Amino acid sequence: MKIVEASGLGLRTRRGWVYREVDLTAEAGELHAVTGPPGSGRTSLLLALAGRFPHTHGELRRRGPAALGQVAGVHEPDPTLTVAEHIQERLLLLGPVPRRRRQLVPVAAVRARRAYRRDTLAAALAGAGFTDAPLDPDRYGRDLTPVERQVLGLVLASLSGPSLIVADDVDAGADAPERAWIWAALARLADQGYAVVASARAVEPGVTAVAHRIGDPTLPGPALTSEVTA
């Protein structure tokens, strides 16, 4: 099932192109990686795919809701809440999954939201497939490492049972083992049936993902190239 389809997508401002000529189709169960140098428009593109930012050119179609993982400056942990409190707050805000939607969201999200009165963090991590996640429930948002912020963002995103999950700069501030863990976690989310689109400077070797390389939008020639990595 196609979750998000972008055709000739672009954003142009008075200063020029932010990104342009993006063709990207992500289906349920697929992991896509948007790579490119700083300033290439990766963050703006991800937010547009999730319906959180405008585009000026092309067409965008999305089936079902989208959820944001970590996006610096846009969607980040609250510095005054612990990891456990983030999970509890999100589950309370979401409430139980409406009966009419239970067949439309991953079973893991339903189970996690039913368990919010019990061990919320364990249920949420298990629901996302992150039982090996490096998260301390008592650690405050202000003290989280870049990788911990990414993990928490992905767990919170999964709780709403969206069709699409996007996360930005997933390799920022991470060493090689941490990058390998993050990419494996993103793949596990895709295996659960989510369409996952993540941005990074590069895709780790051995990661199976549909990679979309955004070039410098100020230069002539194609603005985006795509390939399947493995």
Side-chain angles (χ1 to χ4, degrees), residues 38 95 139 184 221:
R139 195 173 178 89

Side-chain angles (χ1 to χ4, degrees), residues 38-49:
S40 58
R42 290 180 291 148
T43 301
S44 297
L45 173 59
L46 256 64
L47 291 173
L49 294 176

Side-chain angles (χ1 to χ4, degrees), residues 13 50 53 111 117 127 145 160-161 174 179 198 214:
T13 69
F53 205 70
R111 290 174 177 169
R117 292 187 183 276
T145 67
S160 62
R179 291 194 300 271
I214 294 182

Side-chain angles (χ1 to χ4, degrees), residues 53-141:
F53 205 70
H55 62 278
T56 58
H57 292 69
E59 296 183 357
L60 176 64
R61 295 176 293 276
R62 188 175 57 257
R63 181 186 178 92
L68 298 182
Q70 161 79 5
V71 180
V74 176
H75 195 255
E76 298 181 287
D78 187 318
T80 65
L81 296 181
T82 66
V83 167
E85 288 169 343
H86 276 92
I87 301 294
Q88 293 166 353
E89 180 183 66
R90 182 63 58 87
L91 289 171
L92 288 169
L93 288 172
L94 289 170
V97 178
R99 186 175 299 276
R100 65 182 181 276
R101 284 204 66 218
R102 288 179 185 173
Q103 300 302 317
L104 304 178
V105 303
V107 173
V110 178
R111 290 174 177 169
R113 285 165 69 171
R114 284 175 175 169
Y116 76 89
R117 292 187 183 276
R118 301 194 300 273
D119 191 341
T120 54
L121 180 60
L125 292 175
F130 293 175
T131 53
D132 58 341
L135 277 182
D136 179 347
D138 298 321
R139 195 173 178 89
Y140 283 93

Side-chain angles (χ1 to χ4, degrees), residues 6-11 19-22 45 48-49 55 57-60:
S7 177
L9 203 67
L11 173 61
Y19 60 86
R20 63 185 177 88
E21 298 177 17
V22 173
L45 173 59
L49 294 176
H55 62 278
H57 292 69
E59 296 183 357
L60 176 64

